Amino acid sequence: MESPELSFTLAYIVFCLCFVFTPNEFRSAGLTIQNLFSSWLGSEDVAFVQFHIRRTSVTVLVHSALPLGYYIGMCVAAPEKKLGYFHQVNDSWRAFFLLSICLQLTSWTIVIYWSQHHWHNHPISRGLQAHERPPYSDWSVASSINTEFRRIDKFATGAPGARVIVTDSWVLKVTTYHVYMALQNECHVTVTESRQHQLSPDSSSPAQILTLRVDSINPAIRHFDIRLNSTEYAELREKLHAPIRNSANVVIHQTISELFLETFRAQVDLNEPYTLPIGQEIEPCIGCMQVPANTKLVRLCQREGPFNESDCQLCMCRPMWCLSCLGRWFASRQDQQRPETWLSSKVPCPTCRAKFCILDVSVLH
């Protein structure tokens, strides 16, 4: 029969592992450091840098308290050991207790040192200081990161303990105890490794995980690795202005939609361009709001059928979409089980619902 001591030990080990790595079950139950200390941590969206300075500090204190919490728990689960009477316990438990106390005191000493001069000594603050340029201070750098993190067009992916965030100017990696940062115009990215995983919770197809190393020309910034699914690589590449190099023997598998988008662009480049009328202004693409609209739907396909009529319809919309967004719209309206029919298909205009095919897409001259 399993003893209460062993049961408590196993349960506590499982709890510690789960609490440290915070899986979905613990996050849904609210047992995360962010939720337990939310009133002191503040909001990540409002002050990203300050939030993670406090979060990492609390994380160090909580995780360092787990061994001491185990000792206190054993005092309750195994009273026959008399662990509450320090002078009566054996040498092993006495050494464990002293190490737990030392670990807790050390962590408090470190956090108190970090908090001096408005958290000036914290590792995240030191990372900010490495990016400061006169006459700007490290908190001016923090303000820049906070502002860009609040924008909805940032790229963000990854688990809570290894999040990857790319803003207009910054590449960020958020881990349990630190936040790595690099300026886009001071770094270059290298795809160093790819791993194939047969099981993926989000898809029935195998998942390819890419490892990318971010190197900065700033000698004060250490390089760091980021990991993401290959299906997110195209989105990262669009947001990342820094050059991306590919190491030898690393093959990046693209999704069917990404392969179709490349074919879509190549075919549209062969179509007759559309000359914009004099005086007509080009507006931002209403799909992404990041680039100017550069396409116009013009019925150019050959007429078919007994009455010399085409299934495609005349679109009277002004240029409102960029080529990438229009290609994604085209792919999203297709039968995902029959990719061989995508090129010959017709879809409705995303604005007026007039049917068009790939031959009807013209790039603005």
Side-chain angles (χ1 to χ4, degrees):
M1 185 175 180
E2 193 173 6
S3 65
E5 176 186 348
L6 181 58
S7 299
F8 176 81
T9 301
L10 294 176
Y12 189 81
I13 292 175
V14 172
F15 173 80
C16 292
L17 292 175
C18 291
F19 188 80
V20 170
F21 295 104
T22 59
N24 292 330
E25 291 78 5
F26 273 67
R27 289 199 301 271
S28 60
L31 293 176
T32 63
I33 290 177
Q34 289 89 327
N35 291 336
L36 295 176
F37 299 92
S38 59
S39 60
W40 183 71
L41 295 179
S43 173
E44 183 185 43
D45 293 328
V46 174
F48 175 85
V49 173
Q50 291 82 350
F51 172 87
H52 285 286
I53 286 177
R54 299 189 186 101
R55 179 194 61 81
T56 52
S57 301
V58 172
T59 301
V60 169
L61 295 177
V62 172
H63 289 179
S64 64
L66 294 177
L68 183 60
Y70 172 76
Y71 186 91
I72 297 174
M74 287 299 297
C75 292
V76 178
E80 69 279 0
K81 291 184 176 293
K82 299 180 179 180
L83 298 180
Y85 303 94
F86 185 74
H87 62 281
Q88 296 182 11
V89 298
N90 58 39
D91 294 339
S92 299
W93 280 109
R94 187 179 291 110
F96 180 83
F97 177 77
L98 292 176
L99 288 175
S100 301
I101 292 294
C102 290
L103 181 61
Q104 183 69 169
L105 293 176
T106 302
S107 65
W108 274 101
T109 303
I110 292 174
V111 171
I112 292 174
Y113 170 73
W114 286 349
S115 66
Q116 299 297 311
H117 308 293
H118 302 286
W119 299 97
H120 185 78
N121 298 322
H122 194 282
I124 296 178
S125 297
R126 294 188 179 277
L128 298 174
Q129 295 164 26
H131 287 100
E132 68 180 41
R133 299 290 186 273
Y136 302 104
S137 65
D138 52 341
W139 292 115
S140 298
V141 179
S143 178
S144 170
I145 297 177
N146 294 342
T147 301
E148 294 190 9
F149 180 80
R150 287 193 291 267
R151 297 173 184 169
I152 61 175
D153 60 342
K154 63 179 178 293
F155 171 82
T157 186
R163 291 170 60 201
V164 177
I165 302 168
V166 180
T167 66
D168 294 336
S169 305
W170 297 90
V171 180
L172 308 171
K173 178 184 177 182
V174 180
T175 64
T176 304
Y177 303 107
H178 192 52
V179 175
Y180 299 90
M181 58 192 75
L183 271 171
Q184 287 207 41
N185 57 11
E186 292 184 352
C187 71
H188 57 268
V189 182
T190 306
V191 183
T192 59
E193 184 185 14
S194 67
R195 291 186 178 182
Q196 195 80 2
H197 296 266
Q198 296 301 321
L199 297 178
S200 172
D202 302 324
S203 173
S204 57
S205 58
Q208 184 188 30
I209 305 300
L210 303 176
T211 301
L212 297 87
R213 187 180 65 198
V214 180
D215 295 285
S216 177
I217 61 175
N218 188 337
I221 303 301
R222 293 176 52 192
H223 71 84
F224 55 93
D225 293 335
I226 59 177
R227 291 179 176 83
L228 71 157
N229 198 306
S230 61
T231 58
E232 301 171 313
Y233 178 73
E235 185 180 355
L236 171 71
R237 190 170 53 184
E238 288 184 2
K239 189 63 179 177
L240 194 63
H241 307 305
I244 301 181
R245 300 180 297 187
N246 199 342
S247 299
N249 303 322
V250 176
V251 179
I252 301 175
H253 300 160
Q254 294 180 297
T255 63
I256 295 178
S257 297
E258 292 169 353
L259 293 173
F260 171 78
L261 191 58
E262 291 185 358
T263 306
F264 183 87
R265 291 194 183 102
Q267 177 58 53
V268 171
D269 287 339
L270 300 177
N271 296 344
E272 181 180 342
Y274 175 80
T275 302
L276 198 68
I278 298 176
Q280 182 174 346
E281 296 182 357
I282 300 179
E283 301 177 358
C285 168
I286 64 175
C288 62
M289 299 300 293
Q290 297 183 23
V291 297
N294 59 2
T295 59
K296 175 73 170 72
L297 297 182
V298 183
R299 189 168 60 179
L300 298 173
C301 60
Q302 297 180 355
R303 299 180 181 271
E304 300 175 352
F307 300 101
N308 197 31
E309 294 181 354
S310 172
D311 291 338
C312 296
Q313 300 170 337
L314 187 63
C315 175
M316 303 300 295
C317 300
R318 66 182 186 277
M320 302 173 65
W321 297 83
C322 67
L323 186 59
S324 296
C325 289
L326 193 62
R328 293 189 181 95
W329 164 263
F330 199 99
S332 68
R333 308 292 293 180
Q334 305 302 320
D335 184 353
Q336 303 299 312
Q337 305 300 323
R338 301 179 60 194
E340 68 278 1
T341 64
W342 290 12
L343 289 175
S344 59
S345 297
K346 298 175 176 62
V347 302
C349 167
T351 307
C352 69
R353 303 301 176 181
K355 286 188 177 181
F356 72 96
C357 64
I358 292 181
L359 299 177
D360 297 329
V361 181
S362 296
V363 177
L364 299 186
H365 191 272

